[in-house]
Amino acid sequence: MLFLNSLVALGNQQLTRKDNSLVKTNLSNETWSPVATVNCNYRSQGRREDGEYVVHDTIPHLCHIELTYACNEKCIFCYNPERAKLGDLSTIDQLVRSIAVSQIPHVYLISGEPSLLPVEKLNEYIELLSPSSSITIVTNGLKRLDGISSKLACFGVPIHGANAKTHEFLNQSQGSFEKTLETIRHYVGEGHDVRCIPVLTGYNYNQMYDIIGIAASLSMESIYIDRYEDGGIGVVNSRGYTLKPTREQFHIAVGQIVQAKHDFAIFDGRVGFGTAIPYCLDERMITESITSNCGVGTYFCAINPKGEFRMCNQSQLVFGNVVKESIETIWNKPALDIFRDLSWVGEPCKSCELLLDCTGGCKVDSNCSDRFCIDYAVRGLSKPVAELVTKVKHRQLAEGYPENYRKFQPNRYMKLTTHYPEKFLVTRYQTVKIDEMALEMAQAIISEALIDERELVARFSESADEHEIRLFVSKMLQVNALDLMKEVQHATS
């Protein structure tokens, strides 16, 4: 089929500690020991009997670059392994250049807190990466980044509560709620896309609807919610705070998320989860299309400030260093079969027909950060989930087009990656594998300034029929690779 082979595309509860007091938590270096990374040299013993294996492309589609572990907030759920001072950036300079050379489609500049770096340095990184990558900066919004490059695709900014009390309890930063909202208003006013990325905990689970409502009122681009997982600094705090949402709390949160998805049309359905959660925890995740698979080992990786490559931000396992070898070399090492061969999967996930869709929810927490494991929320369950298989919906692109021809132009974030066996179309938020014919047409649109659908049909009439070419244009519009200008002429006249 022409064009598409695969598509990868983020209340008023009483706040209490387990001892029923609401106070700031003072996490010091004396009470926290940084989580050490562990080099992984795994050698697989072979495939599963059923042959199931996590397939992957030559390169990951998404890479998180952790610029620093320094931060100006003290979130009690933080998954970073330590809080550090902003140090020498020479290693970051090297690893950013390495990622740029490898042409990774999507790159997140994350931390710690990226806004602690000079804006000029962040713009330098954006300039290096933007020819091949769509770039997002994940920031808490406490410090505004004035003068950030217009080549940035998106800001990710969290609103952790429906009010200052909740937000500031979770991030332990007095006055941060209003500062964050003002930063979001500023970025939106400057024309930036801003995505809301709250962390779902046992304290804000029944505020999801109101948080999404606030994001809608601020004209944020989308909202994708991360469920708290024990990791890093959060492990220490979870001993005294109920950070993990219970199953009942999770169900309440899902209900509010689903309702908000229907009520706030501004998001056009761009409401859901940003981290991996087992599909079987709540059937509405499937029926309402708010499932998420984090992409560990399939299309996602993380690089820490030392350049160490991991398959997950919370994982201790290191497979190489991008300062010393290319990311594509590391990505294709046999050692990554520690995840991909699925030998780590236990029941009820091991025999589930949704395993390769769901991959067991979150694969890393404090109990298995030096290996992989199925999500804590489904461990010990025996209920089969095979009956959900028929309800799983994968996004389908358009199979039609209007009667009239269309004029269009390449979206400013559209890019093509042709360096690898797979050919990738990169848009602001998606990575799409395309075939040779689609690549040739996309290149013509960019290089020959072909902006008229009728001209595109004529240009490729000997290689593809009109129906396929017009479907190609529809799909390019749907993934936002092209911007529609207007319909111009009746196709049959």
Side-chain angles (χ1 to χ4, degrees):
M1 172 186 280
L2 182 64
F3 178 66
L4 186 71
N5 292 318
S6 69
L7 174 68
V8 175
L10 262 200
N12 293 310
Q13 182 194 8
Q14 179 64 38
L15 300 178
T16 58
R17 287 188 62 176
K18 289 179 180 177
D19 62 6
N20 294 320
S21 63
L22 175 57
V23 295
K24 282 194 173 185
T25 175
N26 294 312
L27 184 66
S28 67
N29 289 333
E30 286 71 38
T31 61
W32 171 248
S33 298
V35 178
T37 54
V38 178
N39 289 322
C40 181
N41 297 301
Y42 176 82
R43 288 294 180 268
S44 179
Q45 299 302 306
R47 299 287 179 92
R48 290 175 21 143
E49 289 184 5
D50 60 9
E52 297 283 29
Y53 180 80
V54 177
V55 297
H56 58 93
D57 291 325
T58 307
I59 55 170
H61 301 173
L62 170 62
C63 176
H64 283 189
I65 299 177
E66 297 170 338
L67 300 173
T68 176
Y69 288 140
C71 192
N72 51 4
E73 293 186 341
K74 296 181 179 179
C75 298
I76 61 176
F77 52 75
C78 182
Y79 66 80
N80 283 169
E82 62 177 314
R83 289 199 175 105
K85 294 181 179 180
L86 183 64
D88 177 52
L89 296 175
S90 59
T91 299
I92 305 298
D93 292 346
Q94 294 178 65
L95 71 89
V96 169
R97 282 193 288 269
S98 176
I99 299 299
V101 169
S102 293
Q103 301 180 12
I104 304 304
H106 289 265
V107 175
Y108 280 28
L109 302 179
I110 194 169
S111 292
E113 177 47 44
S115 68
L116 298 181
L117 276 70
V119 171
E120 294 77 15
K121 177 58 71 172
L122 292 172
N123 283 342
E124 177 186 325
Y125 295 157
I126 294 169
E127 193 66 30
L128 283 167
L129 293 163
S130 60
S132 300
S133 305
S134 176
I135 306 143
T136 293
I137 289 179
V138 178
T139 171
N140 58 36
L142 193 58
K143 180 182 178 183
R144 202 167 76 189
L145 288 168
D146 291 321
I148 201 70
S149 171
S150 61
K151 294 179 181 179
L152 181 73
C154 181
F155 281 108
V157 184
I159 301 173
H160 294 306
N163 49 60
K165 184 178 182 180
T166 308
H167 181 86
E168 293 171 13
F169 168 72
L170 289 170
N171 70 11
Q172 298 288 290
S173 180
Q174 187 174 3
S176 62
F177 184 67
E178 288 300 330
K179 288 180 181 178
T180 295
L181 298 188
E182 183 53 40
T183 295
I184 292 169
R185 292 187 190 100
H186 175 79
Y187 290 155
V188 171
E190 285 198 330
H192 292 288
D193 269 12
V194 186
R195 173 170 292 177
C196 187
I197 48 171
V199 174
L200 169 62
T201 71
Y203 294 100
N204 62 1
Y205 70 92
N206 62 352
Q207 298 182 26
M208 290 298 109
Y209 185 91
D210 291 337
I211 290 172
I212 296 171
I214 292 171
S217 72
L218 295 170
S219 298
M220 299 183 80
E221 178 269 338
S222 60
I223 178 162
Y224 289 99
I225 296 151
D226 296 343
R227 182 189 56 160
Y228 170 77
E229 303 286 346
D230 268 342
I233 294 168
V235 175
V236 173
N237 291 329
S238 68
R239 298 168 189 163
Y241 293 87
T242 52
L243 293 175
K244 281 185 180 179
T246 65
R247 190 166 302 165
E248 179 58 32
Q249 289 172 342
F250 182 74
H251 291 327
I252 292 170
V254 169
Q256 293 197 4
I257 293 166
V258 168
Q259 189 61 53
K261 181 181 179 183
H262 291 294
D263 288 352
F264 297 109
I266 185 174
F267 294 124
D268 192 26
R270 297 185 300 273
V271 176
F273 288 102
T275 49
I277 300 172
Y279 295 3
C280 60
L281 285 190
D282 194 308
E283 186 172 327
R284 292 170 296 178
M285 293 174 59
I286 291 176
T287 59
E288 296 290 338
S289 299
I290 57 172
T291 57
S292 176
N293 185 328
C294 63
V296 164
T298 308
Y299 59 84
F300 170 71
C301 70
I303 314 296
N304 71 16
K306 298 177 182 179
E308 293 176 324
F309 174 106
R310 295 156 297 142
M311 280 195 277
C312 170
N313 306 75
Q314 292 188 191
S315 176
Q316 293 175 258
L317 294 178
V318 170
F319 299 90
N321 192 304
V322 297
V323 175
K324 300 176 181 178
E325 53 189 340
S326 71
I327 194 170
E328 57 268 31
T329 298
I330 301 171
W331 181 251
N332 290 285
K333 286 182 176 181
L336 275 74
D337 277 351
I338 192 172
F339 172 76
R340 291 171 178 159
D341 69 10
L342 300 172
S343 59
W344 52 273
V345 180
E347 295 294 358
C349 302
K350 184 176 181 178
S351 57
C352 178
E353 293 182 63
L354 292 175
L355 175 59
L356 291 181
D357 268 289
C358 171
T359 58
C362 181
K363 277 70 70 175
V364 178
D365 65 24
S366 61
N367 298 307
C368 61
S369 60
D370 60 348
R371 57 190 189 280
F372 294 96
C373 54
I374 64 172
D375 194 287
Y376 73 87
V378 296
R379 293 173 203 164
L381 294 184
S382 57
K383 179 183 177 181
V385 296
E387 65 271 15
L388 297 180
V389 173
T390 58
K391 298 180 182 180
V392 174
K393 301 173 185 175
H394 296 290
R395 183 181 177 189
Q396 300 294 320
L397 293 182
E399 290 297 332
Y401 44 83
E403 198 172 7
N404 292 338
Y405 288 116
R406 294 161 286 189
K407 279 188 178 290
F408 47 78
Q409 61 185 9
N411 182 274
R412 67 192 184 100
Y413 295 101
M414 173 187 171
K415 311 172 199 300
L416 294 168
T417 299
T418 61
H419 185 62
Y420 299 99
E422 310 92 347
K423 310 306 175 189
F424 299 110
L425 169 72
V426 181
T427 70
R428 196 172 197 165
Y429 299 116
Q430 298 175 73
T431 301
V432 184
K433 281 199 292 188
I434 56 177
D435 60 26
E436 291 294 337
M437 187 71 253
L439 174 63
E440 190 176 344
M441 288 195 289
Q443 289 172 326
I445 289 170
I446 294 174
S447 62
E448 300 176 25
L450 282 176
I451 63 170
D452 189 306
E453 187 175 19
R454 184 172 56 176
E455 293 178 8
L456 187 69
V457 169
R459 167 76 167 74
F460 290 95
S461 60
E462 294 184 4
S463 304
D465 62 42
E466 180 170 337
H467 172 73
E468 290 292 335
I469 295 171
R470 299 201 69 197
L471 281 180
F472 164 79
V473 173
S474 292
K475 292 175 180 179
M476 291 283 279
L477 288 165
Q478 190 170 345
V479 300
N480 298 314
L482 301 177
D483 296 329
L484 180 65
M485 297 164 66
K486 60 181 178 178
E487 296 179 14
V488 291
Q489 183 177 338
H490 196 282
T492 59
S493 62

